[in-house]
Amino acid sequence: MKAWEKNFRRVEPYTPGEQPEFSDMIKLNTNENPYPPSPKVAEAAAGLCGETGKFRLYPDFKAGALVDALAGYYGLSGEQVFVGVGSDDVLSVAFLTFFNSGRPVLFPDITYSFYDVWAQVYGIPYERPALDGDFRIRREDYYRENGGIVIANPNAPTSVAEGLGFIEDIVRHNQESVVVVDEAYVDFGGTSALPLLSKYENLLIVQTFSKSRSMAGVRIGYAMGHPTLIRAMNDVKYSINSYTMNYPSLLLGAAAIKDDTYFKECCEKIIRTREWAKDALCGLGFACLESSANFLFATHESMPAKKIFAALKERGIFVRYFDRPRIENYLRITVGTQEQMEKLGKALAEILGQ
Ligand SMILES: *Cc1c(COP(=O)(O)O)cnc(C)c1O
């Protein structure tokens, strides 16, 4: 190893789900939305073609058009909204901004696996209280001294959601630290902590355009919280890279927010397909956790998850398998279109010899 190599900041990176590209594949491995974004987004994108002259200019570093659209939609002020390049960027800035006490940040042992990666890269100590036997968060585990709390609600990859009272209990017991609630999947049947914002200055809610708004490729995420939190996040962000939000994504994001009817219909369609798929999987000998997300977390009564994962892959159907303690016999299956889920059901029946 070269002398200078010894000084590298070494990290074990987050591993995203595969992005295979071939025709006829069914991609149910990264919780993308199977439907396109609102036609209003297509219109705005077409409008961009005549506006490439604007690409000469730096974008609005305050991301005003998008911040205002989000603030208007959620009934907040612009000072309560932070936007970033996907919620991964937003969460990363939140970790860097708020978790600086030297005390351990708390999040569940089974949750979004990026949280430990950010803690490691930023040198933040952390502890991971175990979910209970039913994969539920034990709120009492978060009633102790800490340097911050991160709860995904609905949780991933379990799909399980907790109610508003549950989240409020955690926030109320932790008024000395910032509590981050990651609501990446909330639009598929979860309950947002939004009503708590007026009561708790230490609560930060993070959401994304990647799942419910069908725009994973455009990379937009946002946080909502007290102006003191948002200001601190912006100060950190402006100290690293002021211009994270490019002009096209500001425009396309604002267009998406304006089409609430399309958005709600799309979420409802996915929820209906999810419930259908859950019953179909049940009929094939799977047990699924109660899902409030756009995916199912499923385990089979006799065939190991790893084997099913490989057999599906051979048939061009991609789902997510995590080779980790406690969840090594589960598959995380994104809810696709009704047609895709019917094909999944047929493939599973074949694999299981039914
Ligand atoms: C998908 C996901 C995110 C990040 O999504 P972005 O595409 O970066 O917005 C954050 N948290 C959870 C729990 C997720 O599943």
Side-chain angles (χ1 to χ4, degrees), residues 30-31 85-89 91 112 115 152 154 156 182 184-185 207-211 216 219-221 332:
T30 52
N31 297 344
V85 186
S87 53
D88 285 343
D89 179 40
L91 287 161
Y112 189 38
Y115 302 153
D182 179 353
Y185 300 103
Q207 295 190 5
T208 175
F209 281 53
S210 296
K211 279 82 183 219
R219 312 301 304 130
I220 303 174
R332 192 196 69 187

Side-chain angles (χ1 to χ4, degrees), residues 88-143:
D88 285 343
D89 179 40
V90 176
L91 287 161
S92 153
V93 172
F95 269 65
L96 192 54
T97 308
F98 302 127
F99 303 154
N100 193 32
S101 67
R103 288 188 294 275
V105 169
L106 308 178
F107 45 82
D109 63 337
I110 300 166
T111 190
Y112 189 38
S113 51
F114 223 137
Y115 302 153
D116 18 358
V117 176
W118 288 312
Q120 281 166 29
V121 72
Y122 297 138
I124 300 163
Y126 63 95
E127 285 169 21
R128 299 183 303 173
L131 296 183
D132 73 13
D134 297 322
F135 293 122
R136 311 289 297 229
I137 295 165
R138 283 187 287 229
R139 67 189 106 179
E140 307 76 35
D141 291 346
Y142 298 83
Y143 299 171

Side-chain angles (χ1 to χ4, degrees), residues 14 16-19 27-35 112 154-159 184-185 188 208-217 270 291 293-297 318-320 322 331-336 341:
Y14 171 77
E18 292 177 83
Q19 291 292 38
K27 193 171 176 306
L28 307 173
N29 68 334
T30 52
N31 297 344
E32 288 145 329
N33 199 306
Y35 302 108
Y112 189 38
N155 197 10
T158 64
S159 76
Y185 300 103
F188 301 106
T208 175
F209 281 53
S210 296
K211 279 82 183 219
S212 56
R213 293 189 186 272
S214 309
M215 290 171 77
I270 289 170
S291 172
N294 69 336
F295 59 89
L296 291 164
F297 201 51
F318 293 81
V319 299
R320 193 85 194 258
F322 300 93
L331 296 172
R332 192 196 69 187
I333 305 171
T334 305
V335 177
M341 299 318 271

Side-chain angles (χ1 to χ4, degrees), residues 8-326:
F8 284 9
R9 191 186 298 277
R10 303 231 174 242
V11 285
E12 186 74 48
Y14 171 77
T15 356
E18 292 177 83
Q19 291 292 38
E21 263 185 72
F22 52 87
S23 55
D24 294 345
M25 69 167 179
I26 298 182
K27 193 171 176 306
L28 307 173
N29 68 334
T30 52
N31 297 344
E32 288 145 329
N33 199 306
Y35 302 108
S38 151
K40 295 262 191 314
V41 175
E43 256 171 55
L48 269 175
C49 297
E51 287 200 330
T52 54
K54 289 219 175 119
F55 293 0
R56 282 185 315 110
L57 304 173
Y58 282 105
D60 170 16
F61 69 95
K62 291 191 167 159
L66 184 57
V67 165
D68 291 346
L70 286 164
Y73 183 77
Y74 290 104
L76 302 170
S77 84
E79 291 181 311
Q80 293 174 284
V81 179
F82 175 92
V83 294
V85 186
S87 53
D88 285 343
D89 179 40
V90 176
L91 287 161
S92 153
V93 172
F95 269 65
L96 192 54
T97 308
F98 302 127
F99 303 154
N100 193 32
S101 67
R103 288 188 294 275
V105 169
L106 308 178
F107 45 82
D109 63 337
I110 300 166
T111 190
Y112 189 38
S113 51
F114 223 137
Y115 302 153
D116 18 358
V117 176
W118 288 312
Q120 281 166 29
V121 72
Y122 297 138
I124 300 163
Y126 63 95
E127 285 169 21
R128 299 183 303 173
L131 296 183
D132 73 13
D134 297 322
F135 293 122
R136 311 289 297 229
I137 295 165
R138 283 187 287 229
R139 67 189 106 179
E140 307 76 35
D141 291 346
Y142 298 83
Y143 299 171
R144 58 178 161 107
E145 205 190 36
N146 62 72
I149 288 176
V150 187
I151 300 285
N153 189 41
N155 197 10
T158 64
S159 76
V160 175
E162 301 297 346
L164 191 59
F166 182 101
I167 297 296
E168 179 161 15
D169 282 344
I170 292 180
V171 181
R172 198 178 35 212
H173 279 85
N174 287 286
Q175 299 190 45
E176 308 276 290
S177 46
V178 173
V179 178
V180 175
V181 182
D182 179 353
E183 297 187 339
Y185 300 103
V186 75
D187 300 317
F188 301 106
T191 307
S192 176
L194 214 60
L196 303 178
L197 276 191
S198 54
K199 235 163 128 183
Y200 300 96
E201 296 183 7
N202 60 321
L203 169 64
L204 189 82
I205 298 170
V206 179
Q207 295 190 5
T208 175
F209 281 53
S210 296
K211 279 82 183 219
S212 56
R213 293 189 186 272
S214 309
M215 290 171 77
V218 183
R219 312 301 304 130
I220 303 174
Y222 51 103
M224 300 176 284
H226 193 271
T228 308
L229 299 182
I230 301 304
R231 215 174 301 125
M233 286 177 79
N234 273 318
D235 286 348
V236 166
K237 173 213 148 130
Y238 295 146
S239 310
I240 298 170
N241 178 1
S242 311
Y243 300 108
T244 54
M245 305 305 289
N246 63 61
Y247 175 67
S249 63
L250 293 177
L251 205 86
L252 301 180
I257 289 295
K258 283 174 189 137
D259 197 351
D260 203 37
T261 310
Y262 179 90
F263 163 67
K264 295 220 162 102
E265 277 170 11
C266 205
C267 292
E268 275 160 26
K269 232 169 8 180
I270 289 170
I271 292 170
R272 275 198 301 274
T273 302
R274 176 185 74 207
E275 295 311 307
W276 178 90
K278 192 166 175 247
D279 288 345
L281 287 172
C282 228
L284 291 164
F286 284 91
C288 298
L289 300 189
E290 195 61 55
S291 172
S292 300
N294 69 336
F295 59 89
L296 291 164
F297 201 51
T299 185
H300 192 260
E301 60 192 9
S302 57
M303 194 179 283
K306 197 170 188 168
K307 198 170 159 190
I308 302 173
F309 166 76
L312 283 172
K313 195 167 169 173
E314 260 173 41
R315 288 167 168 78
I317 302 177
F318 293 81
V319 299
R320 193 85 194 258
Y321 173 70
F322 300 93
D323 203 349
R324 290 208 202 112
R326 295 186 76 193

